[in-house]
Amino acid sequence: MMERSCGVILPVSCLPSPYGIGTMGKAAYEFIDFLAAAKQRWWQVLPLSPTGFGDSPYQSVSVFAGNPYFIDLDMLAADGLLRPEELTAADWGEDSERVDYGKLWENRFPILRLAASRGLPRDRAEVDAFAAENADWLADYAFFMALKQYFGMKSWTEWPDEVRMRDRAALEKYRALLADDIDFYIYIQFLFAKQWDAMHAYAKENGIGIIGDLPIYAALDSADVWAQPQFFSLDAQGFPTAVAGVPPDYFCEDGQLWGNPLYDWDAMRADGFGWWIRRIAAAAKRCDAIRIDHFRAFASYWAVPYGAETARGGTWVEGPGMQLLGVLNDWFPQLQYIAEDLGMLGPDVGALLNECGWPGMKVLQFAFAPQADSDYLPHKYSKKCICYTGTHDNQPLGAWCAEAPEDEREFASEYLGLPRGKNVGRLRRQLLRAGMASVANVFIAQMQDWLGTGADSRINSPGIPQGNWQWRLKRGRLRPALAAEMARWTQLYGRAPQNATDSDEQLQNSAAD
């Protein structure tokens, strides 16, 4: 069970690094310093995988790979792989507080190729060792990306049949033809891992644990599905038989049609769930705890016929349950999981959560519908849960306090002992205080919640495919006074480590019950 503590959500992309997007460079180390000064214990980074459709890391070309955009270019320059003038010559976008993914797509990979042309010959022995260590996914990913580039970045479902269906002779031909590009994609994963490992080590030295995030499904257009189709519900031509989504509910009358191929759980079970073991092992190398997205799908999941225009025609199908989760608990007994148990839940989800022993999530923004008697109200918590003000899919707290339905804001004010009226600042602070004071062992807020930023700092709006994952932290906003205030609250509510030694020991043992 995780120790009583608290932390902050901030995707790496949001850091105020130069060159268009947050990276694992100086700004990341400064953020770790800020968290340590604020006596926080956790940095929740969200998925580290390459972004895909809608610039989302939840629709990635690989569930294993790291995002090349997060590689810090100044560090590459310091390592002799780039020259300063090569960095400043590129157009990284005009707004330092928004990510321009179009500019990144145009300019980031040419810069990385330049670095690889200089670094790969020098680092060949290290790269080969890295490739051997990650052979279970890296070769497939690099080959997939080289092929995707060769075929004009089209989905693999549109590649020539002999490549799409993995004809052995065709693959050997293209593997020889694209050898240099394959090497490049391996090398940028080597660079990512090298920078991430150094940053992660620095976080550990400062008592900060990293909470990663595993999207439940792989994207159809991914190395994962193309390279190992036997583990997914595909037909003889390689197309899905059914896809993922969620059924209609109060918020969306047509449900949500995600389009990810579903797993062939029979095939995975017959293989001893090896694919999942490899996936968790890769994530555990990078993170100290892992939030598992859409946990309810392990109990039962919504399967929508492939080609349907909405999620209305789906059906519930039984998930793998403890057959899988028991394997993961046995293989990774010291790894801390967080179950994202939000959404439309049935008794099967609660039963599975209790049986696997993972803590679930409680979101304060969901608590205050006056007639709901919500389980998200803090007085209903147990210690074994993670309290969030909101997730990356929710409004920042300042925006919620300004824009939530009036009856919810009035109930929240009454619950928190505030006078009636639209007092956004006081309500925001009292919600933070309520999460801090709750019995939940871990309390997590978005960085925007502490800063008091508004709707324009929202990270993601589910169901809206464009304009997400763009907000960035303005340099200079993380002031010592804010760190001191956070530290004081952290101490006041018993969430601060006693000292540096205790903090480091807790980081190493936080998963132990």
Side-chain angles (χ1 to χ4, degrees), residues 125-168:
E126 284 186 82
V127 174
D128 288 346
F130 172 77
E133 183 181 346
N134 295 277
D136 54 347
W137 66 269
L138 182 58
D140 285 336
Y141 163 75
F143 190 22
F144 175 85
M145 289 305 299
L147 286 166
K148 192 170 180 63
Q149 176 187 305
Y150 183 81
F151 292 120
M153 300 307 293
K154 292 179 181 178
S155 169
W156 70 266
T157 58
E158 300 177 49
W159 294 353
D161 286 349
E162 68 271 16
V163 185
R164 184 170 62 83
M165 301 303 293
R166 300 183 58 80
D167 175 77
R168 180 173 297 183

Side-chain angles (χ1 to χ4, degrees), residues 65-99:
N67 191 338
Y69 292 159
F70 295 167
I71 296 171
D72 188 74
L73 302 184
D74 282 331
M75 285 184 166
L76 298 187
D79 195 28
L81 302 183
L82 295 171
R83 301 186 182 96
E85 62 271 17
E86 293 167 342
L87 307 184
T88 56
D91 181 3
W92 303 114
E94 299 178 357
D95 188 347
S96 63
E97 296 178 46
R98 310 294 294 184
V99 178

Side-chain angles (χ1 to χ4, degrees), residues 201-277:
Y202 185 78
K204 285 187 175 182
E205 290 169 7
N206 285 274
I208 306 300
I210 303 293
I211 300 176
D213 196 300
L214 255 68
I216 183 69
Y217 293 118
L220 175 59
D221 187 24
S222 68
D224 314 297
V225 178
W226 174 75
Q228 296 188 295
Q230 69 271 25
F231 295 130
F232 298 87
S233 294
L234 308 178
D235 63 21
Q237 298 302 310
F239 295 100
T241 56
V243 295
V246 292
D249 58 19
Y250 176 80
F251 300 100
C252 187
E253 63 180 13
D254 287 328
Q256 295 181 42
L257 184 60
W258 297 338
N260 305 73
L262 298 171
Y263 297 113
D264 184 334
W265 288 117
D266 288 338
M268 288 191 159
R269 190 178 294 109
D271 187 54
F273 296 108
W275 188 88
W276 275 93
I277 291 168

Side-chain angles (χ1 to χ4, degrees), residues 9-11 13-14 46 98 391-396 446-448 455-461 467-471:
I9 298 175
L10 188 74
S13 60
C14 295
L46 300 185
R98 310 294 294 184
T391 75
H392 63 283
D393 286 333
N394 301 124
Q395 294 172 305
Q446 294 192 80
M447 193 66 244
Q448 302 95 299
D456 62 344
S457 64
R458 183 169 184 160
I459 292 171
N460 185 54
S461 297
N468 296 311
W469 301 94
Q470 294 182 3
W471 177 77

Side-chain angles (χ1 to χ4, degrees), residues 246-363:
V246 292
D249 58 19
Y250 176 80
F251 300 100
C252 187
E253 63 180 13
D254 287 328
Q256 295 181 42
L257 184 60
W258 297 338
N260 305 73
L262 298 171
Y263 297 113
D264 184 334
W265 288 117
D266 288 338
M268 288 191 159
R269 190 178 294 109
D271 187 54
F273 296 108
W275 188 88
W276 275 93
I277 291 168
R278 293 188 292 274
R279 186 181 183 190
I280 298 297
K285 288 181 181 179
R286 293 176 180 160
C287 304
D288 305 293
I290 299 172
R291 190 196 82 131
I292 306 289
D293 175 57
H294 199 55
F295 174 86
R296 72 138 305 115
F298 294 127
S300 54
Y301 55 92
W302 191 246
V304 183
Y306 183 59
E309 294 185 0
T310 74
R312 280 184 171 275
T315 57
W316 287 110
V317 180
E318 185 177 359
M322 281 305 297
Q323 288 183 318
L324 169 62
L325 303 189
V327 167
L328 298 184
N329 281 341
D330 289 343
W331 270 80
F332 306 100
Q334 297 303 312
L335 182 61
Q336 177 63 54
Y337 301 96
I338 299 171
E340 190 267 291
D341 58 336
L342 308 176
M344 186 181 294
L345 307 180
D348 58 338
V349 180
L352 182 61
L353 191 66
N354 287 334
E355 189 172 0
C356 74
W358 299 358
M361 294 173 57
K362 304 294 184 183
V363 179

